[in-house]
Every structure is written in C-alpha cells, then in structure tokens.
C-alpha cells in the first residue's frame, strides 16, 4: 500500500502553460483547461506540479492530478477550493483565460492505470480524490477497454459531486462501469463503511486493482478496509491529497 517511488520517476523541467478555458464543476470546484506546448504525454493517475509566482517573487507550488487522458498539448486539471487555501483560491477564483502558469510533469509512476490492464478495477474516491480516478474512467472509455470498473465516490452532498453529470451518463450508457455514492452531509450523514466497500466493490478473489484517493484519513481507512476484506495490499494503490 505504501506509495512506492519507481525508478525513473518522471521529473521534467518547468513549462509555461496558458489557461484556455474553464468550467465550473460545482460551486467550489473548477476545471482548468491548459495549453502546455511540447507536453510529453501522460498516463491516467499521474499529476503535475503547478507553480505560481507573485509580482514580488514569492512562489507557491502544489500538485494537481491530470483529470483527462493525454490529448496533445491540452491538459485538464480540476481544482477544489479549500478554505484559506493559498493556491486553490487563486486557481478557482482569480486565474483567468489567457493567463500563464508554470507546470512540471507528468509526475508519478505507481498510482496509474493503463488500458492494457484487463483485470477488474475498484476506484474509491473521497471528495476531489475523484479527479485522477476520473482520468482512469475517461482513459478506459477513450481506449475502448473492457476492464470492468466500479467507483465508490464519497462526497458531502449531491451538489458537491465533481463530474456528477458525466458519471451519471457514463454509468447509464456503459454496462462495464458501476458508480455508487456515499454522502457525508446530505441527504445522509454517513461515513464510508466496510459494508459499502464490500457490497459496491469487487470480491478479493477476483484480484481487482484498487485505487483509493482523497484526504489522508479517508485513504487510510478505506485501504485498511480493503485489506481486511482480503485484498492483496500490493494491489491497493493509494494517493493522499493531504
Ligand atoms: C498527488 C496530489 C494530487 C492532487 N490533486 C489534486 C486535484 O486534482 N485537485 C485538487 O483540488 N487538489 C489536489 N491535490 C491537493 C492540492 O495539492 C493542494 O493541497 C490543495 O489544492 C490545497 O492547496 P492550497 O494552497 O489551496 O491550500 P494551503 O494553503 O496549502 O492550505 C490551507 C488549509 O487547507 C488545508 N488543506 C490543504 N490541502 C487540503 C486538501 N486537499 N483538502 C482539505 N484541506 C486541505 C491545510 O491543512 C490548511 O489548513 C493534490 C495533492 C497531491 C499530493
């Protein structure tokens, strides 16, 4: 389960991207579409480092998952506004079409899914942890993969579901994708349970690949549940958003 670093972890130089469009996913989460010249491509699950520099030279750097499969020089990031958050506040409120931003990546070689992987996949998302998992769902569809996918998505409420409409449509039209939800505030007030993971996930004997992403506490809880349900810890891959 430990987030292993693979040899040759991709570390590239900073590139200057430009914001080409935005769309709001919820009242507090925004997708940013960037044009990054000479982007080398990426795999679903990887992320980028984003660096902002203020006029006085002050710099702040954060990681953001790539929300969509590689598509030339076009990158999509989906950023959840965090109260008092330095970088997410800027990216969701101030950063405007035409503005530059420094981007480095792609980063990460462990928390990735490739369309050549045929085994069942369980995705478990907490809040904005759905972003890299959505990249996997989109990559699966783009490649015409038949790997069966299940997503368990924990969010505060229906109105805070990132990619809510797209997930509904994809789950309706694609029999190989099941999506289930746990709401922590409305209409229920509930945390994800072992029973949720057991009934909406895959049996361990099918040896699915499991990807869990979200806040640290959520990720640790779900990873422990998966191991308790008999999943091989080496097939439980985690990404913590902090
Ligand atoms: C590999 C990786 C991929 C990530 N991908 C995404 C992504 O796709 N979309 C996305 O929105 N975020 C993502 N994050 C989180 C992101 O990097 C920032 O941590 C987040 O945007 C907050 O940064 P900030 O500067 O706004 O907040 P800060 O100024 O750093 O923090 C402000 C306050 O918010 C708290 N805080 C920090 N981060 C979070 C958080 N994630 N949730 C709740 N509270 C927090 C801090 O403890 C602090 O109290 C990812 C993180 C990692 C490590």
């Amino acid at each position: 389960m430990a987030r292993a670093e693979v040899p040759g972890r991709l570390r590239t130089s900073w590139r200057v991207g430009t914001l080409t469009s935005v769309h709001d996913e919820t009242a507090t989460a925004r997708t940013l579409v960037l044009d990054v010249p000479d982007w080398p491509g990426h795999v679903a699950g990887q992320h980028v480092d984003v660096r902002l520099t203020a006029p006085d030279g002050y710099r702040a750097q954060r990681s953001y998952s790539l929300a969509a499969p590689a598509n030339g020089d076009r990158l999509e990031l989906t950023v959840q506004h965090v109260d008092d958050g330095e970088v997410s506040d800027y990216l969701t409120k101030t950063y405007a079409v035409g503005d530059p931003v420094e981007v480095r990546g792609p980063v990460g070689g462990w928390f990735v899914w490739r369309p050549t992987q045929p085994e069942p996949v369980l995705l478990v998302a907490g809040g904005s942890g759905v972003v890299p998992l959505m990249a996997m769902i989109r990559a699966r569809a783009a490649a015409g993969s038949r790997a069966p996918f299940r997503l368990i998505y924990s969010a505060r409420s229906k109105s805070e579901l990132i990619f809510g409409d797209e997930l509904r449509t994809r789950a309706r039209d694609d029999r190989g994708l099941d999506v289930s939800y746990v709401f922590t505030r409305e209409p229920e007030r509930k945390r994800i349970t072992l029973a949720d993971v057991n009934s909406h996930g895959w049996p361990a004997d099918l040896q699915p690949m499991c990807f869990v992403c979200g806040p640290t506490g959520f990720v640790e809880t779900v990873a422990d549940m998966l191991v308790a349900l008999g999943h091989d810890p080496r097939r439980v891959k985690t990404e913590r958003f902090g």
Side-chain angles (χ1 to χ4, degrees), residues 126-138:
S128 56
V130 73
V131 177
L133 308 185
M134 191 66 188
M136 296 178 191
I137 290 171
R138 290 169 165 167

Side-chain angles (χ1 to χ4, degrees), residues 62-65 78-80 82 84-88 240-241:
R62 300 287 184 274
S63 299
Y64 291 99
S65 301
T78 301
V79 181
Q80 171 68 52
V82 170
D84 301 324
E86 195 175 30
V87 173
S88 66
R240 294 163 175 78
F241 277 10

Side-chain angles (χ1 to χ4, degrees), residues 16 29 68 72 106 150 210 214:
V16 179
R150 289 184 176 169
C210 304

Side-chain angles (χ1 to χ4, degrees), residues 218-239:
F218 175 89
V219 168
E220 287 173 359
T221 300
V222 173
D224 286 348
M225 288 174 180
L226 287 165
V227 173
L229 288 168
H231 291 270
D232 181 344
R234 288 167 301 185
R235 300 182 75 83
V236 178
K237 301 193 172 191
T238 59
E239 185 96 284

Side-chain angles (χ1 to χ4, degrees), residues 32-235:
L32 310 172
V33 181
L34 305 175
D35 177 58
V36 182
D38 301 322
W39 181 249
H42 58 269
V43 182
Q46 289 187 299
H47 63 275
V48 291
D49 295 329
V50 170
R51 184 165 73 179
L52 304 176
T53 307
D56 65 1
Y58 171 76
R59 278 181 166 161
Q61 180 182 322
R62 300 287 184 274
S63 299
Y64 291 99
S65 301
L66 291 150
N71 179 10
D73 289 345
R74 176 191 158 110
L75 303 191
E76 285 188 39
L77 310 180
T78 301
V79 181
Q80 171 68 52
H81 182 266
V82 170
D83 287 339
D84 301 324
E86 195 175 30
V87 173
S88 66
D89 184 70
Y90 175 82
L91 292 177
T92 54
K93 292 185 177 165
T94 309
Y95 186 44
V97 170
D99 286 351
V101 70
E102 285 185 288
V103 174
R104 183 173 63 182
V107 184
W110 167 251
F111 191 85
V112 295
W113 179 81
R114 292 182 171 83
T116 48
Q117 296 176 232
E119 68 271 33
V121 171
L122 172 63
L123 310 171
V124 189
S128 56
V130 73
V131 177
L133 308 185
M134 191 66 188
M136 296 178 191
I137 290 171
R138 290 169 165 167
R140 171 183 174 277
S145 158
R146 306 290 288 274
F149 267 41
R150 289 184 176 169
L151 167 67
I152 306 174
Y153 182 5
S154 173
R156 287 182 182 171
S157 65
K158 285 187 181 167
S159 65
E160 294 205 35
L161 284 175
I162 301 173
F163 315 124
D165 290 343
E166 182 178 340
L167 283 171
R168 255 188 305 281
T169 306
R170 287 188 183 277
R172 185 194 64 206
D173 297 344
D174 182 346
R175 297 182 68 181
L177 171 67
D178 287 332
V179 182
S180 56
Y181 302 96
V182 174
F183 294 109
T184 58
R185 301 223 175 140
E186 283 179 33
E188 308 155 70
R189 205 176 175 86
K190 138 180 214 296
R191 298 274 167 193
I192 193 165
T193 64
L194 189 73
D196 293 321
V197 178
N198 190 32
S199 53
H200 299 298
W202 297 105
D205 55 11
L206 291 181
Q207 297 192 298
M209 193 58 78
C210 304
F211 295 92
V212 186
C213 186
T216 301
F218 175 89
V219 168
E220 287 173 359
T221 300
V222 173
D224 286 348
M225 288 174 180
L226 287 165
V227 173
L229 288 168
H231 291 270
D232 181 344
R234 288 167 301 185
R235 300 182 75 83

